[in-house]
């Protein structure tokens, strides 16, 4: 056995997972990257509007993909590159969700994939205040220069998995998961003609032809709302499953809604940082670099103190949170 897999990263045009506009792939054989590929693409028809916030993150504009094939036309090439490999992605629920939703709205079937989430492995094998890709890549010795370039992000993801396998003296993905006492998750094969559509796809299709509500920005102390109980039937592979989550700062969605979404994923939302807290979601446009610059809320500073004392706790942005719960960011009025 050897350490063989393909790392993948998607960028999307808008908040719907099924709107891919770029993909990067890194193929690993024997613990070494041996081949890479990347494509720009038009998202599936009717889901190809570019959101300002997404463009601001990855820099890809409609004109950049105007003459490119749509995702459904390009997927045979993407699938051929992956072959029968295990897929690795940083927040795999998002990238596997892109494949599923992108194919569903294209009316195309999708193959089954065994997959690895390097966010989950990073949490288990590193001790970082943020397991976002730049921090995990730096810990793995593969610093990320151009975050949100799909090819670079896939390469960084591959480097993280190679490093984690090395630290655990594992010569294959199977050995790594056995050493950690984990089971390799799988996204099953599907066909949109006779299988139930995924929840993000159903929501996107329901929204077609409707109007998107614009939530006004509200200053002042956000309403906490109730703390719903975790969904006992949630998917254990989601990065929020089993976590105790606290929210801070002004979010683009109401905090009670954020709590409901986290509970649906199997997390336990709470209203303040305690010894139980394992994830802090930060609004107000927070990015991982703010951990170094010091642009933090009081709750975030408390989290850093607890982390320094040895409490396993992680800080993530609202954008990362929305990827994990499969929700689109909501535009805020100026």
């Amino acid at each position: 056995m050897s350490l063989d897999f393909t790392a993948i990263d998607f960028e999307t045009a808008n908040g719907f997972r099924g709107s891919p506009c770029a993909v990067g792939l890194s193929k690993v054989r024997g613990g070494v990257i041996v081949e890479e590929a990347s494509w720009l693409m038009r998202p599936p028809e009717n889901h190809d509007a570019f959101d300002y916030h997404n463009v601001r993150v990855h820099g890809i504009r409609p004109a950049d993909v105007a003459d490119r094939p749509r995702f459904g036309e390009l997927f045979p090439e993407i699938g051929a590159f992956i072959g029968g490999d295990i897929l690795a992605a940083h927040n795999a629920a998002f990238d596997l969700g892109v494949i599923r939703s992108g194919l569903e709205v294209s009316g195309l079937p999708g193959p089954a994939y065994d997959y690895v989430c390097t966010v989950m492995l990073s949490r288990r094998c590193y001790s970082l205040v943020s397991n976002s890709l730049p921090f995990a890549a730096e810990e793995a010795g593969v610093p990320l220069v151009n975050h949100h370039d799909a090819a670079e992000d896939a390469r960084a993801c591959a480097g993280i998995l190679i490093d984690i396998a090395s630290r655990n003296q594992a010569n294959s993905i199977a050995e790594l998961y056995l050493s950690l006492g984990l089971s390799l998750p799988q996204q099953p094969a599907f066909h949109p003609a006779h299988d139930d559509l995924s929840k993000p796809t159903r929501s996107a299709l329901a929204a077609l032809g409707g109007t998107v509500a614009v939530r006004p920005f509200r200053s002042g102390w956000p309403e906490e709302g109730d703390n719903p109980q975790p969904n006992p039937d949630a998917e254990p592979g989601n990065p929020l499953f089993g976590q105790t989550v606290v929210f801070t700062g002004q979010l683009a969605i109401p905090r009670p809604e954020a709590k409901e979404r986290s509970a649906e994923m199997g997390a336990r939302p709470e209203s303040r940082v305690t010894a139980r807290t394992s994830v802090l979601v930060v609004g107000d446009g927070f990015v991982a670099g703010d951990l170094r610059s010091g642009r933090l809320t009081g709750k975030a500073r408390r989290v850093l103190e607890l982390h320094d004392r040895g409490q396993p706790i992680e800080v993530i942005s609202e954008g990362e949170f929305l990827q994990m719960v499969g929700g689109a960011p909501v535009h805020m009025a100026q």
Side-chain angles (χ1 to χ4, degrees):
M1 293 188 294
S2 63
L3 189 65
D4 299 343
F5 63 90
T6 292
I8 190 167
D9 179 82
F10 282 102
E11 300 296 331
T12 57
N14 53 67
F16 171 45
R17 290 180 178 182
S19 65
C21 58
V23 64
L25 301 114
S26 291
K27 186 173 289 292
V28 173
R29 290 291 179 267
V32 177
I33 296 175
V34 297
E35 187 179 0
E36 296 184 317
S38 62
W39 289 275
L40 292 175
M41 68 197 77
R42 280 188 296 161
E45 190 174 3
N46 298 322
H47 303 279
D48 50 4
F50 276 72
D51 185 280
Y52 165 78
H53 300 281
N54 291 62
V55 173
R56 186 175 60 178
V57 167
H58 53 57
I60 302 168
R61 301 176 182 278
D64 297 324
V65 301
D67 60 350
R68 305 286 178 150
R70 290 198 186 273
F71 172 71
E73 300 170 277
L74 189 60
F75 188 76
E77 289 187 65
I78 298 171
F81 186 94
I82 298 168
D85 279 5
I86 294 170
L87 277 178
H90 206 70
N91 186 13
F94 172 76
D95 294 280
L96 271 292
V98 170
I99 292 176
R100 174 141 194 171
S101 287
L103 290 176
E104 284 176 333
V105 296
S106 301
L108 298 171
Y113 287 116
D114 292 330
Y115 65 89
V116 170
C117 178
T118 51
V119 170
M120 301 285 285
L121 293 179
S122 175
R123 283 179 176 169
R124 195 170 183 109
C125 299
Y126 298 153
S127 180
L128 303 174
V129 71
S130 171
N131 289 289
S132 66
L133 190 60
F135 277 72
E138 182 177 347
E139 177 69 16
V142 286
L144 184 59
V145 176
N146 190 15
H147 188 22
H148 294 297
D149 175 272
E152 287 204 32
D153 285 1
R155 189 181 307 130
C157 174
I160 292 165
L161 184 49
I162 291 168
D163 179 66
I164 288 174
S166 175
R167 294 189 188 202
N168 286 274
Q169 300 181 323
N171 295 314
S172 68
I173 300 296
E175 278 190 17
L176 175 62
Y177 268 64
L178 183 63
S179 71
L180 297 174
L182 301 173
S183 298
L184 193 66
Q186 183 186 75
Q187 175 164 283
F190 61 89
H191 197 303
H194 50 71
D195 290 324
D196 290 338
L197 298 177
S198 62
K199 184 176 180 179
T201 298
R202 294 198 306 271
S203 298
L205 292 176
L208 280 179
T211 58
V212 179
V214 177
R215 300 187 197 273
F217 181 86
R218 289 186 292 271
S219 61
W221 197 265
E223 178 193 353
E224 282 288 343
D226 296 330
N227 292 315
Q229 292 298 305
N231 173 13
D233 300 318
E235 171 55 53
N238 189 281
L240 291 174
F241 183 85
Q243 304 295 325
T244 299
V245 182
V246 174
F247 298 88
T248 186
Q250 187 74 50
L251 306 179
I253 61 175
R255 198 169 288 182
E257 181 181 339
K259 289 185 173 185
E260 287 287 349
R261 291 193 188 190
S262 65
E264 186 178 340
M265 297 297 124
R268 181 178 299 279
E270 294 190 342
S271 299
R272 61 189 183 91
V273 175
T274 69
R276 295 185 298 272
T277 307
S278 58
V279 173
L280 180 72
V281 180
V282 185
D284 294 316
F286 164 85
V287 294
D290 291 338
L291 291 169
R292 293 192 175 98
S293 70
R295 192 180 75 84
L296 297 170
T297 66
K299 282 183 180 177
R301 290 192 182 90
R302 172 65 174 154
V303 160
L304 292 180
E305 292 172 5
L306 292 173
H307 187 272
D308 288 343
R309 296 177 190 172
Q311 182 170 333
I313 194 166
E314 178 183 2
V315 181
I316 66 174
S317 68
E318 184 184 12
E320 291 171 304
F321 169 76
L322 287 170
Q323 279 194 345
M324 293 174 184
V325 300
V330 180
H331 300 304
M332 292 184 291
Q334 298 299 314

